[in-house]
Amino acid sequence: MATFNKKISKKVTTTDSFFGSMVRGIYPAVVENSNALAKQVSLLEYPLGEYLHCNTPWAEVDHVLMPIRMGVHAHWILVHLDIRNRCLNVYNSCCATIRDGEVRVDVQPFALVIPHLMANIDVWQPVIVNGIQRIEPLVVNLVHDIPQQSNGTDCGVFVIKYAEYFMNDMMERMPNPFDATSERIYLASQLYKHGLHKINEGYESDPDFLSRRERKARKGANKK
């Protein structure tokens, strides 16, 4: 939707679940050495727009929407990277049982690693403090007064819908209470409709189907 739907005016891209695992994995090394990201090729491909199909380089968007599975709880949250304001806005659909303090601790690896990612691809520059270059962690804002799940199983649907309402600039119009069961049916129908459309129209979107290796090979050939 963010890539192809012309009705969406926000400049948005996204990540996948592997991104969170990579960030958590490299976090201790980045704490010890800020240059630890230099050899993390797969992780650096995310902000370059090269890791995922239908992705956009982060330098060309204002927002990155990241579905994150919390490290301690089996719970999904939506983390929104606001590139212009250099902050993370966190949408948690289970505030009653997963407290703000837990969420802040869980998001801390992203607050530290992402600025280093942006510096590695020359989108953000380090700040100079007393003559020393420093890469400051992102500010973390917890978004409140949003619809909440009523059970322990609906967090995935909420993450998807938070992202959809945000992209359409309609967060304040998201129903509260929110009917997750109906939304599951709606999401399934939209996927089915999209599949039928592709079959009936007989089209394939080239960026969707090229492997990362093929895209890199084409990119290299074009440079030559």
Side-chain angles (χ1 to χ4, degrees):
M1 289 177 65
T3 304
F4 297 118
N5 191 335
K6 295 181 180 179
K7 294 181 180 179
I8 295 177
S9 59
K10 288 182 180 292
K11 295 180 179 180
V12 182
T13 192
T14 187
T15 62
D16 58 8
S17 57
F18 296 113
F19 177 76
S21 300
M22 291 182 192
V23 169
R24 295 188 197 283
I26 196 63
Y27 173 62
V30 175
V31 171
E32 295 295 326
N33 180 3
S34 60
N35 295 318
L37 280 172
K39 296 182 179 181
Q40 299 298 311
V41 177
S42 294
L43 189 54
L44 288 169
E45 285 180 339
Y46 278 93
L48 291 172
E50 297 177 353
Y51 191 86
L52 296 175
H53 299 309
C54 295
N55 224 203
T56 306
W58 295 11
E60 299 176 13
V61 300
D62 299 323
H63 312 280
V64 183
L65 299 177
M66 301 178 284
I68 302 298
R69 187 180 187 276
M70 294 185 67
V72 176
H73 301 279
H75 176 64
W76 289 89
I77 57 177
L78 178 67
V79 178
H80 159 222
L81 168 61
D82 185 332
I83 293 178
R84 289 187 175 183
N85 294 309
R86 299 199 182 193
C87 66
L88 296 177
N89 301 311
V90 184
Y91 296 79
N92 171 24
S93 63
C94 200
C95 293
T97 56
I98 301 177
R99 302 298 184 182
D100 288 356
E102 295 178 282
V103 175
R104 286 189 181 279
V105 170
D106 198 84
V107 174
Q108 188 56 40
F110 301 89
L112 179 67
V113 172
I114 287 175
H116 285 83
L117 277 177
M118 300 298 271
N120 267 270
I121 65 170
D122 296 323
V123 176
W124 289 351
Q125 299 301 317
V127 297
I128 307 298
V129 179
N130 296 326
I132 300 174
Q133 287 190 344
R134 294 181 56 179
I135 299 177
E136 298 292 335
L138 298 171
V139 174
V140 176
N141 302 314
L142 303 182
V143 181
H144 296 111
D145 299 323
I146 55 177
Q148 298 287 290
Q149 64 190 83
S150 58
N151 55 37
T153 59
D154 285 338
C155 54
V157 177
F158 274 79
V159 166
I160 293 170
K161 299 309 290 187
Y162 286 154
E164 184 177 346
Y165 275 87
F166 174 84
M167 285 193 302
N168 287 282
D169 202 19
M170 296 174 62
M171 276 304 300
E172 71 283 353
R173 295 169 60 181
M174 187 172 177
N176 194 2
F178 180 76
D179 188 346
T181 301
S182 296
E183 288 300 331
R184 276 195 175 90
I185 296 172
Y186 171 77
L187 289 169
S189 68
Q190 290 300 301
L191 289 170
Y192 181 71
K193 179 181 177 182
H194 179 65
L196 284 180
H197 181 67
K198 296 186 78 169
I199 292 171
N200 293 332
E201 295 295 326
Y203 77 87
E204 290 185 355
S205 175
D206 186 63
D208 291 348
F209 289 90
L210 283 179
S211 68
R212 291 168 58 208
R213 182 175 297 177
E214 289 173 308
R215 280 184 285 157
K216 282 188 173 182
R218 288 192 181 188
K219 188 175 181 180
N222 290 334
K223 286 183 178 179
K224 293 178 182 179

